[in-house]
Amino acid sequence: MDETIKLSRSTVEKYLNCPRCCVLDKKHKIKPPSLPFTLNIAVDNLCKNEFDYYRERQESHPLFIEHNIDAVPFKHKDIDIWRSNFKGIRYKSTEHNYDFGGAVDDVWQKKNGELIIVDVKATSRNNFDWFETFNKYDYAKAYKRQLEMYQWLFRKNGFKVADEAYLLYFNGKKNEKFFNNQLKFDVHFIKLDCSSAWVEGKVIETVKLLRSNLFPSPSFKCEYCNYLKKRWQCHKINY
């Protein structure tokens, strides 16, 4: 039997964006350099602490009341595992021999028992417009796919999951007159109508690629491949 392939939400996202980069990352351990988003991590942790306060009491967070969401933070023994970057919620397929997982930011539960999957983001813009961002940038569409992959994982683990999901977007206010060692945020509560119907097929496609000997061509939309291509063209001209 083939060795079990362990993959994450980001692996599938790389496959969707650029199969070549997916193969370079998973099979050859070659990936672009990255920087830690420590401010984003701090915002995530503060949100988790706050939701845990209401989770313990099984009360609605004030944001839920403000946005007419009849739910409470989901209380489950595995909530900290699901939110851990090194563990997360996982599904193992015996048919295709893969182990797929991802770490959620939070989970809420509606009165009817359905779970709402939530992701927390942080940014700083003078004028934050989610609809403009979603229509203009691919990364915003990837956020929606991220939530859909998490929905699929919870469904594969036997949970009843709502189609609706939420992005809790914190926009740092950078034009305040005084800093006073405090960073203030506007909160944007973004509801997304999701469908996880596509997820399993793309997970299987990713697994099949990683098991094959194929080395895909660069993707035209991949910023890393395009950078390397232009760099090589410059090299040939100048040297």
Side-chain angles (χ1 to χ4, degrees), residues 25-143:
D25 182 2
K26 288 297 291 182
K27 295 185 73 172
H28 303 285
K29 311 303 179 187
I30 298 172
K31 60 184 69 181
S34 61
L35 294 172
F37 294 97
T38 49
L39 181 59
N40 296 52
I41 293 170
V43 171
D44 285 353
N45 286 340
L46 288 169
C47 281
K48 289 172 183 176
N49 294 342
E50 190 168 313
F51 286 131
D52 283 346
Y53 174 87
Y54 292 96
R55 191 183 329 276
E56 186 62 31
R57 290 157 179 76
Q58 283 297 277
E59 298 175 357
S60 291
H61 189 283
L63 278 173
F64 302 178
I65 299 170
E66 180 183 345
H67 293 274
N68 298 314
I69 300 172
D70 194 5
V72 294
F74 186 39
K75 193 172 185 177
H76 192 281
K77 63 181 179 62
D78 292 331
I79 187 68
D80 287 332
I81 295 174
W82 297 338
R83 297 188 302 185
S84 169
N85 286 331
F86 301 103
K87 296 179 181 178
I89 182 168
R90 310 202 67 84
Y91 170 70
K92 296 180 181 180
S93 169
T94 54
E95 180 181 0
H96 298 282
N97 203 21
Y98 65 78
D99 178 354
F100 176 67
V104 296
D105 281 342
D106 213 75
V107 185
W108 307 335
Q109 187 172 40
K110 299 168 71 174
K111 282 286 182 67
N112 64 6
E114 290 183 341
L115 302 185
I116 298 173
I117 310 302
V118 183
D119 200 58
V120 177
K121 303 294 183 187
T123 189
S124 182
R125 298 183 184 176
N126 290 331
N127 295 298
F128 181 87
D129 187 326
W130 166 252
F131 297 103
E132 179 184 355
T133 300
F134 187 83
N135 291 325
K136 188 175 181 180
Y137 298 107
D138 287 339
Y139 75 82
K141 299 176 181 65
Y143 290 164

Side-chain angles (χ1 to χ4, degrees), residues 173-184:
K173 300 168 73 173
K174 57 187 177 183
N175 294 317
E176 298 292 284
K177 188 173 182 179
F178 294 102
F179 179 27
N180 291 328
N181 294 327
Q182 291 182 328
L183 181 58
K184 298 179 181 179

Side-chain angles (χ1 to χ4, degrees), residues 68-69 120 164 200 230 235:
N68 298 314
I69 300 172
V120 177
E164 67 187 278
E200 187 160 15
K230 291 176 182 178
H235 173 82

